[in-house]
Amino acid sequence: MKTFINVEDIGPLEKALAEAQEIKNDRYKYQHLGKNKTLMMIFFNNSLRTRLSTQKAAMNLGMNVIVLDVNAGAWKLETERGVIMDGDKSEHLLEAIPVMGCYCDLIGVRSFAGLTDREYDYAETVLQQFIKYSGRPVFAMETATVHPLQAFADLITIEEYKTVKRPKVVLTWAPHCRALPQAVPNSFAQWMNAADVDFVITHPEGYELDPQFIGNARVEYDQKKAFEGADFIYAKNWSNPGVTNPADYGKITSKDMSWTVDTDHMSWTNNGKFMHCLPVRRNLIVTDDVIESPNSIVIPEAANREISCSVVIKRMLEAL
């Protein structure tokens, strides 16, 4: 595996899930693969779970790890071609990337959407430059449009907690005070479409995700109807994807607090489990009583980030 961006990169999900369980049973089984190998983690944006889980996964596999926070301690990087660099950016990404590649064997990149230029964001401009110019295998630690390590961890968690063979999984939009990217819901939708689940997406009208991620999911604008009989509720805010109206891309076009997941909402489910990628804005996305309830599995979900990342790095090391 040379790149890890979309669900197709991981291959058959049954095999990937079995590998995840194997690693969970013995996290240090494949330490020999990473001996004298180095992972470089490059962060253009803040991180807690991704930074910690990826570093831990690489260490479990015997790797050395270099963490570069581009916004703290590095030269400011220019990402656009043709720019006269007479401002505060001292180095161009096109020189920085191959230099980074000289010092490592694998690269993980975290770079969020700017939410001002949909075409630029959905072209994955920054990530694609790393793939093209680094000379190293590259995996996404959340990008402008996807967060596959999170979605893989979500699938592992659903597999562990499901009580029926084909559970009903609902991705619900919830209100937020800031404009957030669509990366998490995009990847969650992509992975759920590939899994053996009954998948429903619910959100206010106008918040439709890009069709490439919606896939075969059922879109239900009535949140209560969507929640009925659900085994898993995955709450996440996203800003307007600009699918129905490109001028709305990246904007907050709804702050409807009736979409906040509370105990009444969860009562519509089949004793459903509550999921969220974290960090979560309490009493905006979800009420305290729901996220602190026995049916909240957000902490095991976060713990599985180490496992999903271990599978990905293992696959990449095996391909070197």
Side-chain angles (χ1 to χ4, degrees), residues 116-131:
T116 57
D117 184 337
R118 189 180 194 281
E119 185 177 350
Y120 181 90
D121 287 343
Y122 274 71
E124 290 291 3
T125 307
V126 172
L127 178 69
Q128 290 301 328
Q129 288 184 80
F130 275 93
I131 293 170

Side-chain angles (χ1 to χ4, degrees), residues 18-51:
E19 203 166 331
Q21 188 56 57
E22 178 191 25
I23 286 174
K24 201 164 189 176
N25 292 338
D26 184 355
R27 297 169 197 239
Y28 307 104
K29 182 177 181 179
Y30 295 100
Q31 276 193 329
H32 61 282
L33 292 175
K35 185 178 180 181
N36 297 327
K37 299 290 193 303
T38 299
L39 168 66
M40 181 172 287
M41 299 164 57
I42 301 161
F43 291 88
F44 290 84
N45 300 90
N46 294 337
S47 174
L48 189 149
R49 274 148 298 278
T50 297
R51 185 185 297 256

Side-chain angles (χ1 to χ4, degrees), residues 1-307:
M1 189 164 64
K2 295 294 186 183
T3 59
F4 178 70
I5 305 169
N6 298 307
V7 66
E8 294 85 2
D9 297 326
I10 203 70
L13 290 183
E14 297 82 2
K15 184 177 179 182
L17 287 168
E19 203 166 331
Q21 188 56 57
E22 178 191 25
I23 286 174
K24 201 164 189 176
N25 292 338
D26 184 355
R27 297 169 197 239
Y28 307 104
K29 182 177 181 179
Y30 295 100
Q31 276 193 329
H32 61 282
L33 292 175
K35 185 178 180 181
N36 297 327
K37 299 290 193 303
T38 299
L39 168 66
M40 181 172 287
M41 299 164 57
I42 301 161
F43 291 88
F44 290 84
N45 300 90
N46 294 337
S47 174
L48 189 149
R49 274 148 298 278
T50 297
R51 185 185 297 256
L52 297 179
S53 62
T54 305
Q55 189 164 356
K56 181 64 164 62
M59 291 164 61
N60 290 351
L61 290 163
M63 298 192 78
N64 302 309
V65 181
I66 299 172
V67 179
L68 175 64
D69 187 336
V70 171
N71 298 313
W75 298 113
K76 288 188 177 181
L77 294 175
E78 178 59 64
T79 61
E80 297 289 336
R81 286 180 174 274
V83 174
I84 297 174
M85 292 176 58
D86 59 356
D88 64 343
K89 295 177 180 178
S90 306
E91 184 160 12
H92 202 287
L93 205 59
L94 294 180
E95 284 79 60
I97 289 173
V99 168
M100 294 175 194
C102 293
Y103 306 142
C104 64
D105 300 280
L106 304 179
I107 295 178
V109 179
R110 184 176 178 93
S111 178
F112 290 178
L115 296 179
T116 57
D117 184 337
R118 189 180 194 281
E119 185 177 350
Y120 181 90
D121 287 343
Y122 274 71
E124 290 291 3
T125 307
V126 172
L127 178 69
Q128 290 301 328
Q129 288 184 80
F130 275 93
I131 293 170
K132 186 174 182 179
Y133 297 113
S134 70
R136 302 298 180 196
V138 175
F139 63 92
M141 301 191 301
E142 188 170 2
T143 70
T145 66
V146 292
H147 197 351
L149 290 172
Q150 179 65 54
F152 187 13
D154 297 334
L155 179 60
I156 294 168
T157 308
I158 289 170
E159 189 71 14
E160 290 175 337
Y161 281 87
K162 70 181 185 181
T163 57
V164 296
K165 181 178 172 64
R166 192 170 188 268
K168 181 178 179 180
V169 179
V170 177
L171 169 63
T172 181
W173 179 92
H176 203 281
C177 55
R178 295 180 57 216
L180 299 183
Q182 299 99 45
V184 169
N186 281 346
S187 277
F188 186 75
Q190 188 183 55
W191 284 69
M192 290 303 106
N193 275 313
D196 187 17
V197 302
D198 176 14
F199 182 48
V200 180
I201 304 174
T202 185
H203 53 71
E205 292 194 40
Y207 270 80
E208 292 79 9
L209 297 172
D210 192 287
Q212 67 177 305
F213 298 109
I214 293 175
N216 297 320
R218 176 161 57 92
V219 177
E220 175 56 67
Y221 298 108
D222 184 329
Q223 192 184 29
K224 183 174 183 180
K225 187 175 180 181
F227 274 45
E228 289 175 353
D231 300 289
F232 295 91
I233 297 297
Y234 196 103
K236 184 70 180 78
N237 173 267
W238 60 91
S239 62
N240 197 303
V243 173
T244 56
N245 184 2
D248 286 337
Y249 176 64
K251 295 180 180 178
I252 298 174
T253 51
S254 176
K255 292 184 178 180
D256 189 348
M257 291 292 288
S258 71
W259 284 78
T260 300
V261 179
D262 59 17
T263 52
D264 187 42
H265 286 70
M266 295 302 292
S267 72
W268 305 333
T269 72
N270 180 33
N271 195 33
K273 299 289 192 292
F274 177 81
M275 301 179 71
H276 189 278
C277 61
L278 303 181
V280 65
R281 298 268 185 156
R282 286 180 174 227
N283 303 306
L284 273 177
I285 300 288
V286 58
T287 56
D288 290 334
D289 48 358
V290 169
I291 198 169
E292 294 177 14
S293 76
N295 278 21
S296 172
I297 55 174
V298 297
I299 302 304
E301 180 185 0
N304 276 330
R305 290 292 307 279
E306 177 188 341
I307 306 305

